Each structure stands twice: as structure tokens, then as C-alpha cells.
Amino acid sequence: MACHAWRCQRNAWIYGTTTVGCAVVDECGRIYVGCNVEHRFRSHDIHAETNALGSLVAGGGKSAVALFVVSPRGWAPCGSCLDWIFELGGKDCAIFTQAAVDEPISIYKAADLLPHFPEHIKPRRTPAEIKVQEGAPNGSDISDTGSALGGGGQGQW
């Protein structure tokens, strides 16, 4: 995981000085990566952790088992990133951080970094549990977007 995170960190798109890379492992052992992508107006910045977690979802992963976050500053995920880690990995998701390839690795559980996360708020259903029927024409699901948009079949729009 560390090698993937460090390799991805080199691709960071930054206006500041800090590059961050992240590798995430899903429930099947697949690895997804992300780096920080900064925007000139800064309020639109994408953190490496959320970028990697978004790649997990886009790639068909259902849950995050562990993240490896690398940055020369060696910091742990921010509160917003931890919210996403809890959403997709839960309180027991392992988080590894490292400031340099030859530096020690710090190891945490998500609950160590955000001990008062409101667990009473249940997470959204997983994509496997969702069938889009409400509001879709003729009770079609989201995989039938072509006919739902009047295109005459799947994939024609």
C-alpha cells in the first residue's frame, strides 16, 4: 500500500506546498489510489483520502478496510476525510500514515482519530442494496438509463 500511495503522491496537483497520496484497500483486497487535487480558489480542493475513497466507489468497492496516507508533513486525515472514512470503512478501518519512505509508519483505527463520531446515525445503503425505482419511468432501474431517457435502450445516450 505504501508504494502505491507514494507513487500517487507524485501526481498531486497543488497550488500550495504539500503533496499527499493515499492508497485504500477494499473488502476484496483491491487497491485504489488518490492524491490531493487543489483548485486555484482553494474551496474546491479534493483531499487525497476522499479522492482514493471516491475511486473505491467508482471502481465497485463496497467498503474500505485500510488507508495508507503519505505526506511530507506526516499528518493524519482531517475531520472531513475521517467522516468519509467512517462512511465507507467504519470505526475499525485501519489508517497508516508516513512522512517519508524511510520514516516510521504510524497506525491508527478510525475511532482513535475521531472517537466521538455519531454512530447512531446509520450510513446510507450500499450500492448493492439500492434499486432505483422511485421516480424512474415504468419502474425501471438505473441500469436502464437509455429507455428512461427516451433513447430506446441501454447505452444509447
Side-chain angles (χ1 to χ4, degrees), residues 146 151-157:
Q154 188 171 345
Q156 294 189 10
W157 56 289

Side-chain angles (χ1 to χ4, degrees), residues 120-138:
H120 64 282
I121 299 172
K122 298 299 176 202
R124 178 183 174 276
R125 295 173 294 167
T126 64
E129 297 170 326
I130 298 172
K131 278 285 193 179
V132 178
Q133 293 178 350
E134 299 169 6
N138 303 322

Side-chain angles (χ1 to χ4, degrees), residues 5 21 25 30 32 36 39 50 78 89 95 98 108 127 139 144 154:
V25 173
R30 295 174 294 210
Y32 305 87
N36 56 323
H39 190 278
T50 55
C78 73
I95 301 169
Q98 190 177 35
Y108 309 93
D144 191 22
Q154 188 171 345

Side-chain angles (χ1 to χ4, degrees), residues 20-97:
V20 182
C22 181
V24 178
V25 173
D26 75 1
E27 73 286 352
C28 295
R30 295 174 294 210
I31 297 175
Y32 305 87
V33 296
C35 59
N36 56 323
V37 180
E38 296 178 350
H39 190 278
R40 64 181 159 203
F41 299 124
R42 302 310 304 266
S43 63
H44 305 300
D45 290 355
I46 301 168
H47 293 191
E49 300 92 328
T50 55
N51 197 344
L53 289 165
S55 294
L56 177 145
V57 171
K62 304 293 182 244
S63 63
V65 175
L67 286 85
F68 202 112
V69 183
V70 300
S71 169
R73 293 192 178 177
W75 54 42
C78 73
S80 178
C81 290
L82 284 167
D83 281 347
W84 281 109
I85 292 167
F86 268 84
E87 179 76 14
L88 297 170
K91 66 181 181 180
D92 293 324
C93 185
I95 301 169
F96 303 88
T97 64

